[in-house]
Amino acid sequence: MSRLESMIRRITAQKIGLEWGVKRTKDIAGDFVEIGLGNGRTYDHLRETAPDKKIWVIDRVLQCHPSCIPPDGSFLQGEVDETIKQMKNNNISISLAHYDLGIGVDDKDEAEAAALSPLIKAIMVEGGLLISSQPLVGFTQLEGPAEIPAGRYYFYKA
Ligand SMILES: C[S@@+](CC[C@H](N)C(=O)[O-])C[C@H]1O[C@@H](n2cnc3c(N)ncnc32)[C@H](O)[C@@H]1O
């Protein structure tokens, strides 16, 4: 598979996966969190799909497309472990989390996701969903949308 094909599969899985998660969390109290703003593509889709939800956005650097800059107070700039601890201290509860960190090196990306999982768990409401580009630990894994092949994207219930 070419890198182009791999990219197409990834962003298709993100679009379908986020829509799947939004539909299933619309009646669950709690905010959303985008972990890894990057260019802002998935954040933009999330806010279009769930316009009524408060979406917290985490990244160590603000480098998104200008149209995707989060509103004042919603962008938490810093290392993800520290920002999630701040969210916990501020009693923020999350019903839908999208995790999209990683550098494309499986061992490192998976170790980081495993290390961050307990912190993320601490801000999730019971029954909240996690849509993730990396495997997380300590959650109940779900099959997710039928169109997404197993292992391409990960789906969990808190
Ligand atoms: C793959 S990109 C996110 C892409 C984004 N979801 C999109 O659709 O455009 C990952 C982002 O996570 C950020 N990042 C990676 N590790 C981080 C960490 N430990 N703390 C905070 N931000 C981090 C990077 O700066 C980068 O912008």
Side-chain angles (χ1 to χ4, degrees):
M1 186 194 317
S2 70
R3 289 182 60 79
L4 176 62
E5 289 169 319
S6 175
M7 168 66 92
I8 290 168
R9 288 188 184 201
R10 178 166 175 265
I11 58 179
T12 301
Q14 288 179 326
K15 178 180 182 296
I16 294 170
L18 291 174
E19 290 168 3
W20 179 93
V22 167
K23 196 171 166 187
R24 282 160 182 75
T25 51
K26 65 178 176 7
D27 296 328
I28 302 178
D31 299 338
F32 288 2
V33 64
E34 167 81 351
I35 304 174
L37 173 64
N39 180 274
R41 278 184 292 256
T42 49
Y43 165 63
D44 192 32
H45 195 63
L46 203 48
R47 68 182 178 176
E48 278 200 6
T49 311
D52 299 332
K53 279 286 181 182
K54 166 83 178 175
I55 307 175
W56 299 95
V57 185
I58 299 172
D59 206 300
R60 56 167 63 120
V61 55
L62 185 61
Q63 58 186 356
C64 62
H65 186 274
S67 66
C68 299
I69 294 174
D72 283 350
S74 297
F75 180 58
L76 306 174
Q77 185 161 7
E79 289 303 305
V80 68
D81 51 352
E82 290 305 321
T83 52
I84 289 178
K85 284 179 199 167
Q86 283 169 25
M87 291 172 77
K88 176 70 182 166
N89 290 341
N90 290 329
N91 296 315
I92 292 169
S93 297
I94 299 298
S95 57
L96 180 70
H98 177 226
Y99 180 104
D100 192 17
L101 303 184
I103 54 172
V105 178
D106 287 351
D107 288 356
K108 286 189 177 172
D109 293 345
E110 289 175 15
E112 181 180 37
L116 291 170
S117 291
L119 295 176
I120 298 170
K121 189 168 187 171
I123 58 169
M124 296 297 301
V125 300
E126 196 174 337
L129 297 181
L130 302 99
I131 317 294
S132 179
S133 62
Q134 304 294 334
L136 303 174
V137 296
F139 301 102
T140 303
Q141 189 162 9
L142 305 174
E143 282 193 8
E147 308 94 296
I148 303 178
R152 176 153 307 283
Y153 231 72
Y154 300 90
F155 301 88
Y156 302 95
K157 188 171 182 176

